[in-house]
Amino acid sequence: MLASRRTATRRVVLAGGGAALLAGCDLDPRAEREPAPAPTSGVPSAVSEDADVELGDRLRLSVLGILGLVEAARSRYPRLRRPLAGLQAMHEAHLALLDQVGPGSDAVPTGVPITPDGPAAALTQVRGAEASHQRMLGRTSVRAASGAFARMLASMGAGVAAHLAALPEAP
């Protein structure tokens, strides 16, 4: 009989403690105070859908441009089809994510022609363009107003880095 009283007492204490913790939480996001500037950028951390939609639109153009370069390299040099297949699929997935952020403009990216100097030079060209794209994603993630959007951009940059690391040195 004594053991069952201890168990019941522990349960009551745990349940009461959990209720006390929840009572101290304010789960309503509208009750939040005015956002403080983010420590890395000085930009308020409040979500600005318009700013993120504009960033998303610019990123969409960048992804379309890099995707065009990868597709051109794969088309011109059959030996690059397999090594660059993952990059192409990743950029297509990134476009789908950016489409969820907001509607894109009708602007068309300026394409960079793939080098005619052979598959090794094309791979070097793609590698350089991807590294620039990765850096741009990192810079843009810091400027994003929404934390969720910033995390998405940082994740996209990490995806580019992972694919760059997996690219072969030569075709």
Side-chain angles (χ1 to χ4, degrees), residues 2-155:
L2 185 60
S4 66
R5 282 188 183 166
R6 284 188 192 154
T7 304
T9 304
R10 257 184 271 143
R11 286 184 188 142
V12 169
V13 169
L14 289 175
L21 285 174
L22 287 177
C25 293
D26 189 359
L27 300 177
D28 185 1
R30 294 171 293 184
E32 291 181 11
R33 294 175 295 182
E34 189 66 30
T40 57
S41 66
V43 176
S45 58
V47 176
S48 170
E49 287 184 25
D50 291 339
D52 283 351
V53 168
E54 184 180 319
L55 280 177
D57 197 36
R58 279 190 260 148
L59 281 171
R60 185 179 289 105
L61 287 174
S62 177
V63 172
L64 283 169
I66 196 81
L67 178 60
L69 182 69
V70 170
E71 288 172 338
R74 292 184 75 217
S75 176
R76 184 170 189 135
Y77 301 108
R79 291 193 324 200
L80 294 179
R81 287 187 183 141
R82 176 174 259 155
L84 298 180
L87 276 172
Q88 182 173 340
M90 178 195 64
H91 290 311
E92 290 168 351
H94 288 176
L95 280 176
L97 285 171
L98 290 170
D99 286 341
Q100 294 175 10
V101 172
S105 71
D106 294 332
V108 177
T110 55
V112 176
I114 196 71
T115 181
D117 296 337
L123 187 60
T124 300
Q125 181 184 9
V126 167
R127 189 183 305 278
E130 291 287 351
S132 293
H133 181 65
Q134 178 195 3
R135 287 189 301 274
M136 188 260 313
L137 284 166
R139 287 190 309 270
T140 306
S141 71
V142 172
R143 292 193 326 238
S146 161
F149 188 53
R151 285 187 297 276
M152 182 182 90
L153 298 179
S155 178

